[in-house]
């Protein structure tokens, strides 16, 4: 498992946090910090994500991520 | 891609557009406000408005997090950023929002240590890595973003990080909607409710809109078919003589919201008596600040903040755009003195801003031709 790619993910004309974007990601595994999971976005890039606001997540679960925090669990393996 | 491609299906889009056409009464003009800037962006990116009958008008609401930040608040941030030994952190678009004497990017060019972050947790990491510096996080955004700030402050507290603080400019979505509904110069027929804010707050906070103002609300996702379907659902309610809160984005938004997120927000934040919104003025109980329990992490108590109210530039009509009173292209400086490269108003800063969305997706040229 590799370390997460460094933030930020914003582009020149779009800030995903200011834009209230929710990014669908897949739980990949645990992170060294408690409450943080390693997640993969749909491009395969890895991110540390705070997952304490969603019910227990397991590798393979899908979550909606905003500002580094999973704000919703996505049912059915994907539903962005 | 599953759950994306089907929400961008052109044939399905035309079918929903046909249903919309069948629901509108000829001779009646419908005004539907999309509350969220993310919806505004999607509408113009995908040309959703081109599929609507001419008597269905989309009005852009105040749900762009950076667009509603007043100039004085930017000045406050810049003042803190210029404090000795401070590392000032904020989200990307916020760096380009004009204050009375420039932007945070300008302040960075002048030597202030200002860094862009994607999450408040990134700011916390910077604080850990720089124990001899004061790290300030400039928190903006609606209820989508506030839980992330709250969790970060709880982590800072748990770790005993004394060099981290937060300048809180978080806002809440319901008070400005009520203010708009009370506005005498704006007649609306219904609302497309914000998708990701509702992921946190749920559908219940919007029930006052049908209950008190007899307008339908449909919470919607951000793909083009999501938005088209939400419009169809609003028009269906109007045709049936109903008004209620409906949820088109059920695949993400639970009716009760995210209770854990609401709980952590309630622990860390409290409502300010009033907060200034760009173009909308002061709105009671619409902004968040840190509770006394987190006072030691409050940058506004740790640093000297000017707190001076600054009037918007006279030429800028962001306030009227944010209230849906005028279209972006009707602003005197749209596309001339005010462009995404050199914005005067906040609506031209973020791609979720109505002016930037119009400009970036070619509405500028088209609407001018109509004029």
């Amino acid at each position: 498992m590799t370390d997460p790619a460094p933030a930020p993910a914003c582009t020149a004309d779009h800030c995903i946090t200011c834009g209230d974007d929710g990014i669908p990601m897949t739980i990949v595994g645990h992170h060294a910090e408690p409450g943080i999971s390693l997640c993969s976005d749909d491009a395969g890039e890895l991110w540390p994500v705070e997952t304490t606001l969603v019910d227990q997540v397991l590798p393979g679960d899908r979550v909606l991520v905003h500002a580094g925090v999973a704000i919703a669990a996505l049912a059915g393996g994907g539903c962005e | 891609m599953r759950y994306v491609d089907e929400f961008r299906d052109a044939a399905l889009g035309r079918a929903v557009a046909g249903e919309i056409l069948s629901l509108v009464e000829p001779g009646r003009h419908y005004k539907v406000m999309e509350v969220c800037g993310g919806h505004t962006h999607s509408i113009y990116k995908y040309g959703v408005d081109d599929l609507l009958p001419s008597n269905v008008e989309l009005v852009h609401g105040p749900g762009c997090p950076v667009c509603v930040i007043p100039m004085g608040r930017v000045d406050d941030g810049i003042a803190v950023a210029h404090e000795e030994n401070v590392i000032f952190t904020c989200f990307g678009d916020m760096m380009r929002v004009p204050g009375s004497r420039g932007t945070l990017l300008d302040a960075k060019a002048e030597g202030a240590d200002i860094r862009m972050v994607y999450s408040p947790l990134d700011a916390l990491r910077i604080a850990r890595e720089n124990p001899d510096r004061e790290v300030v996080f400039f928190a903006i955004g609606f209820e989508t973003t506030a839980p992330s700030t709250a969790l970060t402050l709880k982590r800072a507290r748990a770790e005993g990080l004394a060099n981290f603080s937060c300048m809180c400019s978080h806002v809440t979505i319901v008070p400005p909607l009520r203010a708009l509904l009370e506005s005498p110069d704006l007649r609306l027929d219904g609302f497309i409710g914000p998708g990701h804010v509702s992921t946190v707050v749920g559908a219940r906070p919007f029930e006052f809109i049908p209950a008190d103002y007899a307008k339908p609300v449909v919470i919607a996702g951000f793909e083009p078919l999501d938005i088209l379907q939400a419009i169809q659902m609003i028009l269906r309610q109007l045709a049936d003589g109903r008004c209620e809160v409906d949820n088109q984005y059920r695949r993400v938004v639970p009716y009760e919201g995210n209770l854990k997120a609401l709980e952590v927000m309630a622990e860390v934040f409290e409502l300010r008596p009033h907060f200034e919104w760009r173009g909308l003025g002061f709105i009671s109980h619409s902004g968040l600040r840190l509770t006394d329990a987190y006072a030691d992490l409050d940058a506004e108590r740790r640093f000297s903040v000017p707190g001076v109210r600054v009037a918007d530039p006279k030429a800028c009509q962001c306030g009227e755009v944010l209230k849906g009173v005028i279209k972006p292209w009707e602003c005197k400086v749209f596309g001339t003195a005010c462009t995404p490269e050199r914005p005067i108003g906040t609506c031209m800063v973020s791609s979720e801003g109505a002016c930037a969305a119009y400009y970036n997706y070619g509405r500028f040229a088209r609407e001018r031709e109509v004029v």
Side-chain angles (χ1 to χ4, degrees):
Chain A
M1 192 175 292
T2 57
D3 282 330
C10 303
T11 61
D13 67 343
H14 181 71
C15 169
I16 59 173
T17 316
C18 294
D20 252 9
D21 290 11
I23 311 297
M25 293 193 189
T26 304
I27 305 286
V28 174
H30 292 297
H31 189 268
E33 274 188 67
I36 305 280
S37 296
L38 202 56
C39 291
S40 169
D41 63 21
D42 287 341
E45 204 163 343
L46 297 178
W47 302 85
V49 172
E50 170 97 46
T51 48
T52 52
L53 296 185
V54 291
D55 291 335
Q56 187 177 11
V57 286
L58 298 169
D61 287 349
R62 297 277 281 171
V63 289
L64 190 71
V65 177
H66 175 78
V69 172
I71 56 171
L74 300 176
C79 43
E80 41 275 31
Chain B
M1 187 187 300
R2 189 181 170 215
Y3 289 108
V4 171
D5 292 343
E6 58 265 52
F7 285 95
R8 298 179 186 176
D9 184 293
L12 275 175
R14 282 190 289 272
V16 178
E19 288 178 34
I20 288 172
L21 186 61
S22 73
L23 287 169
V24 297
E25 294 173 28
R28 177 176 175 182
H29 191 80
Y30 298 83
K31 275 188 167 184
V32 176
M33 173 174 275
E34 83 274 6
V35 172
C36 179
H39 285 142
T40 307
H41 183 252
S42 290
I43 285 164
Y44 294 109
K45 179 177 181 181
Y46 296 108
V48 172
D49 58 329
D50 291 337
L51 293 170
L52 300 177
S54 59
N55 58 335
V56 177
E57 180 186 351
L58 294 176
V59 179
H60 321 304
C64 164
V66 300
C67 298
V68 299
I69 298 294
M71 295 182 84
R73 200 69 184 158
V74 179
D75 288 354
D76 290 345
I78 289 172
V80 173
H82 277 302
E83 292 262 359
E84 193 178 343
N85 205 36
V86 162
I87 299 174
F88 193 84
T89 60
C90 65
F91 299 139
D93 282 347
M94 194 60 231
M95 297 182 76
R96 300 193 299 121
V97 176
S100 66
R101 292 181 301 279
T103 65
L104 284 159
L105 267 181
D106 295 329
K108 182 178 172 70
E110 290 164 9
D113 191 346
I114 300 173
R115 305 184 190 182
M116 187 179 87
V117 293
Y118 147 78
S119 158
L121 293 161
D122 296 334
L124 195 67
R125 175 180 49 77
I126 292 170
R128 288 189 200 113
E129 292 169 355
N130 296 272
D132 55 339
R133 305 280 301 278
E134 282 284 341
V135 176
V136 180
F137 171 62
F138 191 33
I140 64 154
F142 289 89
E143 290 95 332
T144 324
T145 317
S148 182
T149 303
L151 284 173
T152 301
L153 288 162
K154 279 174 67 81
R155 279 185 177 273
R157 164 61 49 79
E159 293 176 25
L161 270 179
N163 67 323
F164 180 78
S165 60
C166 171
M167 190 173 163
C168 184
S169 296
H170 282 303
V171 288
T172 58
I173 195 67
V174 165
L177 292 183
R178 193 179 284 279
L180 284 170
L181 282 160
E182 293 288 343
S183 174
D185 54 354
L186 185 62
R187 184 193 65 79
L188 294 169
D189 294 287
F191 290 87
I192 301 173
H196 291 144
V197 164
S198 302
T199 303
V200 173
V201 303
R204 196 185 311 275
F206 303 105
E207 285 177 349
F208 79 96
I209 298 177
D212 298 348
Y213 299 93
K215 313 285 183 195
V217 180
V218 177
I219 294 163
F222 295 87
E223 295 297 332
L225 268 177
D226 287 322
I227 298 167
L228 268 179
Q229 189 183 16
I231 296 166
Q232 184 265 341
M233 291 165 75
I234 290 168
L235 294 172
R236 166 61 67 194
Q237 287 194 39
L238 293 171
D240 293 348
R242 293 180 292 121
C243 58
E244 55 199 47
V245 177
D246 207 346
N247 185 3
Q248 185 277 338
Y249 203 28
R250 287 171 200 264
R251 64 190 192 276
V252 173
V253 174
Y255 186 82
E256 70 280 7
N258 184 325
L259 298 179
K260 289 181 180 176
L262 294 172
E263 192 177 318
V264 73
M265 285 169 63
E267 177 187 335
V268 174
F269 300 123
E270 62 185 12
L271 288 170
R272 294 175 186 267
H274 46 76
F275 189 79
E276 185 186 3
W277 292 60
R278 176 122 184 181
L280 303 179
F282 285 92
I283 300 178
S284 299
H285 301 115
S286 63
L288 300 177
R289 66 185 178 194
L290 274 56
T291 60
D292 285 343
Y294 284 83
D296 57 318
L297 298 175
D298 189 343
E300 289 180 72
R301 305 192 206 198
R302 191 178 293 193
F303 298 94
S304 174
V305 175
V308 176
R309 187 172 187 231
V310 179
D312 291 338
K314 281 185 181 171
C316 173
Q317 294 179 278
C318 274
E320 287 154 281
V321 172
L322 282 169
K323 285 190 286 192
V325 174
I326 64 167
K327 295 292 184 192
W329 58 271
E330 294 174 303
C331 173
K332 293 187 286 288
V333 291
F334 175 82
T336 52
C338 184
T339 64
E341 291 75 30
R342 297 189 67 83
I344 293 176
T346 47
C347 297
M348 193 60 97
V349 172
S350 164
S351 59
E352 278 65 36
C355 296
Y358 263 65
Y359 190 94
N360 289 332
Y361 294 109
R363 263 50 186 179
F364 174 46
R366 186 184 308 185
E367 304 290 4
R368 290 284 172 168
E369 282 170 20
V370 173
V371 172

